Amino acid sequence: MARTVAMTGNIGCAYAMKQINPDVVAAYPITPQTTIVEEFANYVANGEVDTEYINVESEHSAMSACIGASAAGSRVMTATSSQGLAYMWEQLYIASAMRLPIVMHNVNRALSGPINIHCDHSDSMGARDAGWVQLFSENAQEAYDNTIMAIRIAEDPSVRLPVMVLLDGFIVSHAIDRFDLLDHAVVREFVGEHRPVNPLLDLDNPVTLGSFSLPPYYFEQKRQLRAALDAARQVVKEVFDAYAAISGRRYDFFETYRLDDAEVGMVVLGSTAGTARYAVDVLREKGVKVGLLKLRLFRPFPARGVARALSHLKAVGVMDRSDSFGAEGGPVYTETKSALYDLDKKPAVVGYIYGLGGRDTGPTQIERVVEDLINVAGGETIKSPVYLGIKE
Amino acid sequence: MKWNIEGAEGWKWCEHPAGAAILEAGNAQYYKTGGWRTLRPTLEGKCNNCLQCWIFCPDTAVIVEDEKFAGFDLDHCKGCGICSEVCALKAIAMVDEQSAQEEDR
């Protein structure tokens, strides 16, 4: 029987890992990810899972061990945050280039410096070009669900890519939330048995993985990675559908809220969607025609769908919880604007940088964005990016 | 799976095994590294077939037949000189590759 529980997002993620029962977990603790691996280590110590838990001395080693274990043929999971993700940098690209279906939680936390432990998306946004699928979670339910779906997406024969499940540090990871769990048996059946392709431990069919690639080959091999990410879109959709059938929870690349008849709209990722939805309701009460698009899938970016969903608007505010210093705006802004470029009639777009280093983003800030957008819809120009709620 | 390594440089992007995997074991032998060599190992003294050179050669370029030293695989020897260093009888000399090639002609 599915049951409703009150757990933090991190414990929900660890619980999903327990239900998946991966062969290998190699991880290093880091705030705010720590309670995921701490809880999972308890399951291992108590014999509740069959997982080989590898204690490592760093995230560099954690991802290296994951790559080795995955190449050997295991189902592999790990988790990290911020500096830990940064320390995995070179291995992130190797995991995707070797087409290893590793599933990793990244509990979003600001990157140093200055050192800070609170939420923003600069860690995973920095890894957006690494060839991983990236799924964002608004709350504990979505973090739990994304974890289970990520296994199927990663291991699909036409994808075979690592998947990063993102959840907002502290806001989702440490707040106790009420959500629904699936039965162990249902989860195990959904993820199925791992069928690795060309595993190193298949001694009858010896292969070499991770070899040197010279200029006559490298270019074609990277093109193949692009094709895999492109193919992932279809698979993500299929997995979302299959998951709806077992959970009753239907997901998509993005979800819209009161957007159909809206004149202005916002694009958000992660936990801020909840705040934005509240603000939309408050403003709708006052007659403001505002709506919301919450992205779940950031890589591969669902550009065409996003463009279609926003095409009827007069103005769009794109909310970035990270900056791409020196660029025109944050990564969600440039991505969204680029998606809109091919439309004949396109909305004006304003980019907002918000909540860096865990700065709280309440309804007042969202209302300020909508106020701006109404002015922009009326012909006013606002220079992007706007640092939302900055002291000035 | 076997492939024709000769054609690999012309493979289209969709023809490469996914993940840059090499699905044929031992095909490094097709990649001839002998051209990197500036010094060539040459047996000049007496060999007692201790086979230290064979043990230490990082490129398996020492040929052994019937448990006896039988020469060097010059298609793969990079001329590192480890065989010459480990030879207990100092029987392997490293000679200038270019001069050796001129002599071969």
Side-chain angles (χ1 to χ4, degrees):
Chain A
M1 279 288 288
R3 61 195 178 99
T4 303
V5 293
M7 285 181 180
T8 66
N10 271 1
I11 302 303
C13 289
Y15 197 83
M17 289 170 74
K18 171 159 90 170
Q19 296 185 308
I20 292 161
N21 193 19
D23 299 312
V24 174
V25 167
Y28 190 84
I30 180 169
T31 302
Q33 157 264 38
T34 309
T35 48
I36 295 181
V37 292
E38 189 177 86
E39 179 75 359
F40 192 77
N42 282 336
Y43 301 146
V44 175
N46 295 339
E48 295 175 69
V49 287
D50 307 310
T51 309
E52 185 73 34
Y53 189 96
I54 308 176
N55 282 304
V56 286
E57 80 285 10
S58 72
E59 288 84 359
H60 191 276
S61 303
M63 187 45 67
S64 297
C66 287
I67 288 170
S70 183
S74 310
R75 176 175 277 161
V76 180
M77 299 183 78
T78 184
T80 193
S81 282
S82 180
Q83 304 307 110
L85 185 68
Y87 198 21
M88 286 178 180
W89 221 251
E90 55 176 339
Q91 283 85 9
L92 294 180
Y93 283 75
I94 292 166
S96 61
M98 288 170 67
R99 304 286 295 276
L100 301 173
I102 298 162
V103 172
M104 170 166 71
H105 292 109
N106 179 68
V107 185
N108 284 112
R109 161 184 156 182
L111 284 173
S112 297
I115 190 167
N116 175 295
I117 57 166
H118 294 280
C119 177
D120 74 33
H121 297 158
S122 53
D123 49 2
S124 56
M125 279 301 165
R128 68 191 185 274
D129 296 336
W132 287 56
V133 173
Q134 291 188 322
L135 290 169
F136 278 83
S137 324
E138 181 188 329
N139 50 36
Q141 180 76 71
E142 293 192 5
Y144 169 83
D145 292 338
N146 281 342
T147 306
I148 297 163
M149 294 190 289
I151 297 284
R152 277 270 289 261
I153 296 165
E155 294 176 5
D156 187 278
S158 61
V159 177
R160 288 171 56 199
L161 285 173
V163 179
M164 218 179 271
V165 173
L166 292 326
L167 53 151
D168 285 352
F170 294 107
I171 304 162
V172 177
S173 71
H174 283 60
I176 293 178
D177 208 351
R178 200 187 68 158
F179 62 101
D180 293 335
L181 300 176
L182 297 170
D183 282 348
H184 278 19
V186 171
V187 174
R188 298 239 166 132
E189 199 194 326
F190 182 80
V191 297
E193 197 174 322
H194 178 42
R195 293 194 171 76
V197 182
N198 303 321
L200 288 175
L201 290 181
D202 178 0
L203 301 182
D204 296 327
N205 296 292
V207 294
T208 299
L209 299 178
S211 66
F212 189 56
S213 181
L214 286 164
Y217 315 109
Y218 184 91
F219 197 42
E220 280 70 25
Q221 287 159 344
K222 296 317 266 195
R223 173 67 184 83
Q224 224 176 42
L225 185 58
R226 168 162 280 279
L229 257 301
D230 286 343
R233 279 193 192 86
Q234 180 58 31
V235 172
V236 167
K237 211 171 243 314
E238 288 165 14
V239 172
F240 284 173
D241 287 347
Y243 196 75
I246 61 160
S247 69
R249 291 183 289 278
R250 179 161 289 284
Y251 293 121
D252 209 332
F253 296 162
F254 55 84
E255 277 105 51
T256 57
Y257 184 68
R258 305 185 84 163
L259 194 64
D260 290 348
D261 66 335
E263 287 175 2
V264 299
M266 292 170 287
V267 176
V268 296
L269 281 176
S271 63
T272 305
T275 316
R277 211 178 285 113
Y278 169 79
V280 165
D281 284 343
V282 170
L283 291 164
R284 282 276 181 173
E285 287 286 307
K286 297 178 185 163
V288 180
K289 290 187 141 185
V290 57
L292 177 70
L293 185 151
K294 177 187 78 174
L295 272 171
R296 171 181 319 279
L297 184 71
F298 188 72
R299 280 290 180 268
F301 190 73
R304 264 181 293 177
V306 167
R308 218 175 301 126
L310 301 175
S311 59
H312 64 289
L313 300 174
K314 290 181 180 157
V316 174
V318 183
M319 309 276 289
D320 269 286
R321 203 162 192 160
S322 67
D323 200 351
S324 179
F325 301 102
E328 288 287 299
V332 191
Y333 167 78
T334 49
E335 207 79 45
T336 306
K337 211 171 169 184
S338 162
L340 293 169
Y341 184 81
D342 289 334
L343 296 177
D344 293 330
K345 187 178 150 288
K346 30 188 169 272
V349 186
V350 187
Y352 291 86
I353 309 288
Y354 77 98
L356 300 189
R359 178 66 58 84
D360 194 31
T361 305
T364 322
Q365 288 188 23
I366 309 285
E367 284 169 23
R368 147 82 202 280
V369 170
V370 178
E371 212 171 285
D372 280 359
L373 295 176
I374 291 163
N375 291 335
V376 168
E380 198 181 298
T381 316
I382 294 178
K383 193 180 164 351
S384 298
V386 176
Y387 262 62
L388 188 59
I390 195 86
K391 296 165 200 159
E392 55 187 349
Chain B
M1 184 186 133
K2 297 280 178 218
W3 60 43
N4 178 6
I5 200 75
E6 295 298 323
E9 287 205 9
W11 284 350
K12 294 173 189 160
W13 67 265
C14 48
E15 291 174 329
H16 283 258
I22 294 176
L23 305 178
E24 182 186 5
N27 75 358
Q29 65 175 311
Y30 302 134
Y31 190 61
K32 306 222 162 126
T33 50
W36 303 10
R37 196 171 56 240
T38 60
L39 295 172
R40 180 188 290 192
T42 311
L43 185 69
E44 291 194 336
K46 183 157 172 50
C47 169
N48 64 355
N49 292 307
C50 71
L51 301 184
Q52 289 295 303
C53 56
W54 173 75
I55 292 168
F56 279 92
C57 176
D59 284 297
T60 59
V62 174
I63 303 165
V64 172
E65 284 167 9
D66 297 330
E67 298 182 14
K68 288 197 166 57
F69 173 84
F72 297 101
D73 170 3
L74 294 180
D75 280 343
H76 296 99
C77 167
K78 294 173 187 148
C80 70
I82 288 173
C83 55
S84 169
E85 285 295 318
V86 300
C87 179
L89 300 178
K90 297 285 165 221
I92 300 171
M94 298 303 292
V95 304
D96 182 66
E97 176 65 24
Q98 203 175 351
S99 319
Q101 282 183 18
E102 278 161 18
E103 263 177 49
D104 287 348
R105 280 201 286 271

